Amino acid sequence: MADNKTVPTAASPQDFIDSVPHERRRQDAQTLLALMSRITGLEAVMWGPSMVGFGSYHYKYASGREGDALAVGFSPRSANLALYGLTYAPQAAELLPELGKHRTGAGCLYINKLHDVDQDVLAQLIALGHEFMVSENFTSS
């Protein structure tokens, strides 16, 4: 069975964010770094070369494949900001319509820029997502 390629690294999240070429995306990433750190109470950890994560959870599929993944986090991609772990909590479905301009897919929340979304709703999604992902209530399949 193949090893998970997205694992925690010793790379600096701040150095990664500082290297983001697009200024607006870099500023938004800096804001997300501070926001997620404050809400989760955790230090950021790089997962793979481009994902900034806060906390982790263990998953095990029926196939026997298992591993660890970041609980919540983000990646400042060239096309958008990808946010991870924010859509799984049951309450997320109620909050997403209030968030503002976004799209979802493959377990991710995508936004073009932080200015497009309600920061208070985003903060609630981060808190709920983190709590849910690290709780015993979450099971992956």
Side-chain angles (χ1 to χ4, degrees), residues 23-43:
E23 182 179 348
R24 174 81 260 159
R25 192 82 66 235
R26 186 173 54 251
Q27 290 172 353
D28 284 351
Q30 187 61 45
T31 300
L32 284 170
L33 178 70
L35 184 64
M36 288 187 169
S37 292
R38 180 179 57 80
I39 291 170
T40 66
L42 300 170
E43 287 189 36

Side-chain angles (χ1 to χ4, degrees), residues 63-83:
S63 66
R65 180 180 171 87
E66 64 182 298
D68 296 302
L70 60 88
V72 295
F74 66 92
S75 182
R77 299 179 176 177
S78 58
N80 53 38
L81 295 164
L83 292 96

Side-chain angles (χ1 to χ4, degrees), residues 109-131:
L109 173 67
Y110 301 100
I111 59 176
N112 291 330
K113 54 186 178 275
L114 287 180
H115 183 74
D116 289 342
V117 298
D118 183 313
Q119 301 290 306
D120 292 332
V121 174
L122 179 60
Q124 290 177 62
L125 286 167
I126 293 167
L128 288 167
H130 182 261
E131 181 180 331

Side-chain angles (χ1 to χ4, degrees), residues 47-118:
W47 285 73
S50 63
M51 298 167 69
V52 179
F54 300 84
S56 65
Y57 69 95
H58 188 76
Y59 63 87
K60 184 172 184 176
Y61 297 123
S63 66
R65 180 180 171 87
E66 64 182 298
D68 296 302
L70 60 88
V72 295
F74 66 92
S75 182
R77 299 179 176 177
S78 58
N80 53 38
L81 295 164
L83 292 96
Y84 309 104
L86 306 190
T87 61
Y88 294 111
Q91 305 93 324
E94 298 169 17
L95 290 171
L96 286 172
E98 301 174 27
L99 181 61
K101 188 177 177 181
H102 73 279
R103 67 182 177 84
T104 58
C108 295
L109 173 67
Y110 301 100
I111 59 176
N112 291 330
K113 54 186 178 275
L114 287 180
H115 183 74
D116 289 342
V117 298
D118 183 313

